[in-house]
Amino acid sequence: MAGDSGDGMQLAGSRFTDATAVLGNDLATLPDFPAEIRAPAGTVAGVSAFQIHFASRDILTPGDAPDVLVAMNPAALKANLGLMRRGATIVVNEDAFSVRAIQKAGYEANPLEDGTLEPYTVKRIPMSSLTQRAVEHLDEVTSRDAQKAKNLFALGVLSWLYDRPTEVTERWVRAKFGEGHVAEANLAAFRAGWSFGETSELIDVQVKVSPNIDVAPGTYRNVNGTEATALGLIAASAKSGLPLVFGAYPITPASDLLHSLSRHGKDGVRTVQAEDEIAAASIALGAAFGGSLGVSCTSGPGLDLKTETIGLAVTLELPMLIIDVQRAGPSTGMPTKTEQSDLLQALHGRHGESPLPVVAAQSPGQCFDAVYEAVRIAVTYRTPVILLSDLFLANSSEPWRIPKARDLPPIDPRFRTTCPHDAPFLPYTRDDNLARPWAIPGTPGLQHRIGGLEKLDGAGSISYDGANHQRMTDLRAAKVAGVEVPDVEVADDADADLLVLGWGSSYGTIRAGARRVRERGGRVATAHLRHLHPFPANLGELLRSYDRVLVPEMNSGQLAHELRARYLVDVETYAKVQGQPLLPSEMEREIWQRLS
């Protein structure tokens, strides 16, 4: 579904998604936003789109080329026509194809009349005028209200076309708009669209998609990566008993996590919108010093600015979580487009020898597990941890099985509350994990010095001794290297000659591409990394056991660089830096090229 930023495409898409989830289909979505705050109406630069892929089987990605495009104006058609496969269905709001609108979109002639759409099945629906007629009997509803409701008319048409339940959307409209004229206008438009699909001979086929019967039993809800991350943080706070303090500075696309958590004050979550990225990181670190779960969230440009505070957290050896929702760079780059290009910065982008664990989420729902695991590592090993997500994961959604609280791994802060009789408190002694004690300020007898200067091993006083610096550097590195992470597992054909190894949001795409290859007789194995530092212990052996290893990434080959350097294995790169997720068709093509 595509239209102007003000046409409500994201809202209509999310409503269709919820109805699809309720029906029991598996799904994956891809919202696509313009970077401009308010591009001129009717221009290609201002087009907002929402893509959904759903089926009665396991869905791994939002798909390659859409089968149906709903274009609310000429600009939406022009921006997305190149994605469509030959024979696809294109539903257009023909009322919007005025001479002026066609020219603003960059067309020289009306694409509905000049043969541009000849390869497609075109359904021309006067959505604007039909919406106006649907609401004209309602008091207080203006022409402006009617124009705002045309997205609900389009949603009604799609809901009939794909036999989606209507009560889900109607219930949402009532909850959002109450009982006033705005709610009635949206309901009238939605019902008119559904009735148009049912009674018009223009829409001649209704598609029924059965529920997915292979889904594991449990209670499900539809979540995007942002919602799953917020829930994971709240669960980690509750499980550990640590108050959640979230410091953040608004930045696309990470701002939504601040918005989401700010609605959970009743759950003990404290959110602070800081004046800048440095202050946001300092708030999180200060909260950790005070005995709370300190978390900060940002995107690439903000991670640059948080670097000094992250380095301070490394030397203080305090638990802190930094969430990086990656976007296209460098600098401000393309704020509303996705990328995986912050990996090297997360691994190495700090002053001095300052290693820390790096965890990556792989799907919207798995963001819950990833952030929970990142918190567990930070608390257990007394270290800052970076969690890598990206715009695609944050905004995309999928059905997610709600876990049982009792099944979540324990997180024990193990605060130091007492000191051996007549013995001084040594803040840099270490346990079996090489983690130092966590003593909350004000605890009697546990006063200690803290700061960014190098510490004397054990005692924690300032030290400029070279040998001590070497020992402390080695201890901090050994602590991070000793973080226990599970072995990487191989999926699919373990006896294949080619291994496709990914990380982050490439998970679904790699599996989908490999599945297509195997369905045609190809032999390929896949594996995915959730822990990027330290790497799983069996990774080197795994890489050397295959003749060829392909690493697809939405960057110029950053993970491949690390694997070559560490394991001396000549892994191959497939790099894509276009602001868009990897596609299954690209994976299928790249795999076949290497198998042949």
Side-chain angles (χ1 to χ4, degrees):
M1 303 182 72
D4 264 333
S5 291
D7 283 343
M9 294 296 95
Q10 304 302 325
L11 185 146
S14 64
R15 294 303 98 212
F16 188 90
T17 299
D18 283 354
T20 298
V22 166
L23 197 61
N25 296 133
D26 199 11
L27 62 92
T29 67
L30 175 61
D32 189 13
F33 306 93
E36 291 75 13
I37 294 175
R38 189 60 174 161
T43 62
V44 173
V47 172
S48 175
F50 188 99
Q51 180 173 317
I52 177 172
H53 183 198
F54 62 100
S56 56
R57 58 177 174 81
D58 183 29
I59 288 295
L60 301 171
T61 75
D64 287 318
D67 299 297
V68 177
L69 168 65
V70 179
M72 302 301 287
N73 61 19
L77 178 66
K78 188 175 184 66
N80 293 281
L81 189 59
L83 302 175
M84 310 305 294
R85 68 184 79 203
R86 188 179 184 88
T89 297
I90 298 179
V91 181
V92 298
N93 176 19
E94 66 174 346
D95 286 337
F97 282 71
S98 64
V99 173
R100 176 60 178 148
I102 290 169
Q103 292 173 345
K104 287 183 72 174
Y107 284 114
E108 296 181 359
N110 189 342
L112 303 182
E113 309 288 350
D114 66 357
T116 298
L117 303 183
E118 187 175 334
Y120 309 99
T121 301
V122 181
K123 308 292 185 182
R124 298 170 58 167
I125 305 176
M127 297 185 195
S128 300
S129 55
L130 289 175
T131 303
Q132 183 68 52
R133 287 172 55 187
V135 303
E136 61 186 6
H137 67 285
L138 298 173
D139 295 335
E140 302 182 40
V141 175
T142 65
S143 296
R144 181 178 175 84
D145 293 329
Q147 288 306 305
K148 287 184 175 181
K150 65 180 182 292
N151 62 328
L152 270 293
F153 182 95
L155 177 59
V157 173
L158 281 182
S159 297
W160 182 87
L161 178 60
Y162 288 102
D163 195 27
R164 303 292 93 180
T166 59
E167 62 274 9
V168 179
T169 299
E170 294 197 9
R171 187 165 58 246
W172 175 85
V173 171
R174 294 288 188 195
K176 182 173 180 63
F177 298 109
E179 299 298 329
H181 69 279
V182 175
E184 294 303 322
N186 280 280
L187 286 173
F190 177 69
R191 291 164 181 166
W194 195 92
S195 298
F196 181 88
E198 184 180 37
T199 60
S200 172
E201 295 182 359
L202 183 65
I203 309 294
D204 51 357
V205 176
Q206 187 181 41
V207 180
K208 294 184 182 291
V209 181
S210 302
N212 183 6
I213 62 174
D214 295 327
V215 66
T219 302
Y220 286 78
R221 60 172 290 183
N222 190 52
V223 295
N224 61 27
T226 297
E227 293 167 337
T229 301
L231 293 172
L233 286 172
I234 294 169
S237 172
K239 199 76 171 181
S240 65
L242 298 172
L244 175 56
V245 177
F246 185 85
Y249 179 75
I251 181 172
T252 302
S255 300
D256 285 345
L257 185 56
L258 174 61
H259 303 161
S260 181
L261 285 171
S262 67
R263 293 190 286 268
H264 287 277
K266 60 181 176 57
D267 300 312
V269 178
R270 287 175 286 180
T271 55
V272 182
Q273 179 175 315
E275 65 268 27
D276 55 43
E277 295 282 6
I278 299 172
S282 298
I283 287 169
L285 182 56
F289 178 60
S292 295
L293 177 56
V295 183
S296 188
C297 184
T298 189
S299 191
L303 189 61
D304 298 344
L305 296 167
K306 294 181 188 296
T307 296
E308 183 177 11
T309 302
I310 296 172
L312 177 59
V314 170
T315 195
L316 295 183
E317 299 190 52
L318 285 172
M320 174 186 177
L321 179 60
I322 306 95
I323 301 171
D324 178 14
V325 187
Q326 300 168 94
R327 74 187 204 191
S331 187
T332 45
M334 299 191 294
T336 62
K337 306 301 178 183
T338 195
E339 209 163 272
Q340 290 181 302
S341 53
D342 294 348
L343 174 58
L344 292 182
Q345 182 183 10
L347 293 173
H348 307 297
R350 289 166 298 282
H351 167 63
E353 296 289 338
S354 49
L356 53 73
V358 178
V359 179
Q362 67 183 35
S363 72
Q366 199 269 333
C367 285
F368 178 94
D369 298 315
V371 75
Y372 191 94
E373 169 70 357
V375 170
R376 188 194 65 80
I377 291 173
V379 172
T380 301
Y381 293 89
R382 309 290 196 254
T383 177
V385 176
I386 291 179
L387 172 68
L388 292 176
S389 177
D390 60 40
L391 184 147
F392 172 51
L393 290 179
N395 292 338
S396 299
S397 58
E398 65 179 358
W400 172 65
R401 186 172 66 169
I402 301 173
K404 297 184 183 300
R406 64 174 178 270
D407 295 336
L408 297 175
I411 301 177
D412 185 2
R414 305 186 326 279
F415 287 121
R416 179 65 63 85
T417 57
T418 60
C419 193
H421 185 64
D422 293 334
F425 174 55
L426 300 178
Y428 280 84
T429 54
R430 301 180 184 276
D431 63 12
D432 292 341
N433 295 319
L434 298 182
R436 79 175 187 90
W438 192 1
I440 298 177
T443 305
L446 302 186
Q447 298 90 335
H448 58 283
R449 179 174 295 177
I450 200 131
L453 295 173
E454 184 60 280
K455 316 293 186 300
L456 180 64
D457 183 21
S461 55
I462 296 172
S463 173
Y464 294 99
D465 179 71
N468 177 77
H469 179 53
Q470 177 76 62
R471 175 162 174 76
M472 293 296 283
T473 299
D474 293 343
L475 283 170
R476 289 188 290 262
K479 178 177 68 173
V480 174
V483 172
E484 292 187 10
V485 302
D487 284 348
V488 60
E489 297 180 358
V490 177
D492 314 316
D493 192 347
D495 296 326
D497 295 326
L498 173 67
L499 172 69
V500 184
L501 178 69
W503 69 278
S505 62
S506 63
Y507 173 74
T509 301
I510 290 173
R511 287 186 58 200
R515 182 166 66 184
R516 294 181 185 182
V517 170
R518 288 193 303 276
E519 288 172 350
R520 293 172 53 194
R523 297 178 58 190
V524 57
T526 63
H528 212 75
L529 291 176
R530 300 180 185 179
H531 296 269
L532 298 169
H533 191 233
F535 284 133
N538 69 328
L539 181 57
E541 179 183 357
L542 178 67
L543 295 176
R544 297 184 186 97
S545 65
Y546 289 88
D547 292 341
R548 303 181 76 173
V549 178
L550 172 64
V551 180
E553 300 181 76
M554 288 186 291
N555 56 49
S556 295
Q558 295 185 14
L559 176 61
H561 173 276
E562 290 298 299
L563 296 177
R564 293 188 191 108
R566 183 174 180 85
Y567 300 110
L568 302 180
V569 173
D570 188 20
V571 301
E572 303 174 38
T573 293
Y574 174 66
K576 179 180 180 180
V577 193
Q578 300 177 16
Q580 294 295 324
L582 298 167
L583 298 177
S585 58
E586 295 171 331
M587 290 299 95
E588 182 182 13
R589 181 193 67 220
E590 294 298 317
I591 291 171
W592 277 122
Q593 285 180 359
R594 287 157 179 81
L595 291 181
S596 61

